[in-house]
Amino acid sequence: MSKVKDYMQSPVYVIEKEEPVQRARNLMLKHYISRLLVMDGDRLAGIVTKHDISHRLGQAAPEWRRRPISKVPVRLVMTERPITIYPGATVEQAAEIMDENGIDGLPVERDEGEIVGIITSRDLISYFVEMNPDSKVGDLMAQGVVSVHRHHTLDHVLEEMVENGVDRVVVCEDNATPVGVITHTNLAISGISNSKDEMKSKNIKMARKENTAGRKGYRYVKEVPMVAEDIMSYPIMFTNPNVGAVDAAKILLDKEICGLPVVDDEKVVGFFSTRDITAEVARWS
């Protein structure tokens, strides 16, 4: 059976635990990755993902969450004591651990504690494509999709994601036609993760201007909150329940996306994602 060492990414991108969240986000965007290993010197201290940046900083308390992300150290948002795996473990074992724990990446660690790589759900997609199973999208997809209207505020989008425990929502028109997708990547890129309170409280702000007499004057300026269509990924790509799962997986790899809405008879009937592929590979163990 194929081993983790054959599919892991190495070397890995790391960040020190006292560095700011802003740098973590910038590194992820620069290198097109979704997670960083957080180090305390030579020791693995945690892991930080785009999900951590968009979700944990979006919560109301404690007070440090309202600071600019250039002032928040990574250690406050990272996941401590991340699960690791050995290079000699099988790919199926890695998939099983990811599936059981709802995670998308595992640091790869030698016996002496040395970090030698990381295996992610995207590496599992490559393995899935190589194995070339004959399953269809409809066999693996998650049924039921959380959707929002394109004019819903980002506050509403965040609440829907948290309440339903999902990593993405489909953005729809009035007639329920999907027009985009919002993931934690979109939220992290937009920087909306630690401005949720501002969206709630600053619909109207006071602006200062000079009047003709040279004295300071004030006027009220209405702010329009950001909405789903401002940050969604579009144009959207679809798949169909009868499409081969390998063909859909190749699209995920080629387009570097995490999932595809599944449409049948012009209705969204599910979502085919990296998580579904991980769950399938886990079943092979």
Side-chain angles (χ1 to χ4, degrees), residues 91-251:
V91 175
E92 287 81 4
Q93 287 173 324
E96 189 172 11
I97 293 172
M98 290 187 205
D99 184 47
E100 289 178 352
N101 292 277
I103 56 179
D104 293 306
L106 290 169
V108 183
E109 185 178 35
R110 287 202 180 113
D111 290 336
E112 58 270 25
E114 179 188 4
I115 300 298
V116 294
I118 186 170
I119 186 166
T120 71
S121 55
R122 297 202 67 77
D123 302 314
L124 298 184
I125 299 178
S126 297
Y127 179 67
F128 180 81
V129 170
E130 288 182 19
M131 294 298 101
N132 197 30
D134 60 1
S135 52
K136 303 294 185 183
V137 166
D139 300 329
L140 307 184
M141 71 180 189
Q143 297 185 356
V145 178
V146 178
S147 62
V148 297
H149 190 273
R150 66 187 306 159
H151 295 145
H152 274 141
T153 66
L154 295 193
D155 188 16
H156 177 80
V157 172
L158 280 167
E159 289 175 356
E160 287 293 313
M161 294 174 81
V162 172
E163 289 178 9
N164 291 280
V166 295
D167 293 325
R168 88 280 302 169
V169 295
V170 176
V171 184
C172 296
E173 288 275 21
D174 292 327
N175 61 358
T177 300
V179 294
V181 173
I182 294 177
T183 69
H184 285 291
T185 295
N186 301 104
L187 295 170
I189 290 174
S190 71
I192 203 64
S193 54
N194 77 330
S195 61
K196 184 176 178 183
D197 289 331
E198 293 178 6
M199 283 195 298
K200 288 182 177 180
S201 64
K202 294 176 67 176
N203 285 337
I204 295 180
K205 68 176 182 180
M206 185 81 82
R208 175 177 288 185
K209 68 175 183 178
E210 294 284 351
N211 63 21
T212 54
R215 292 175 300 174
K216 298 291 184 183
Y218 293 89
R219 61 187 175 89
Y220 282 97
V221 177
K222 185 174 179 61
E223 275 191 350
V224 179
M226 291 181 71
V227 295
E229 68 178 358
D230 292 328
I231 69 165
M232 69 184 185
S233 295
Y234 71 93
I236 193 172
M237 298 186 68
F238 307 96
T239 189
N240 182 275
N242 296 317
V243 170
V246 168
D247 292 330
K250 288 178 180 177
I251 295 175

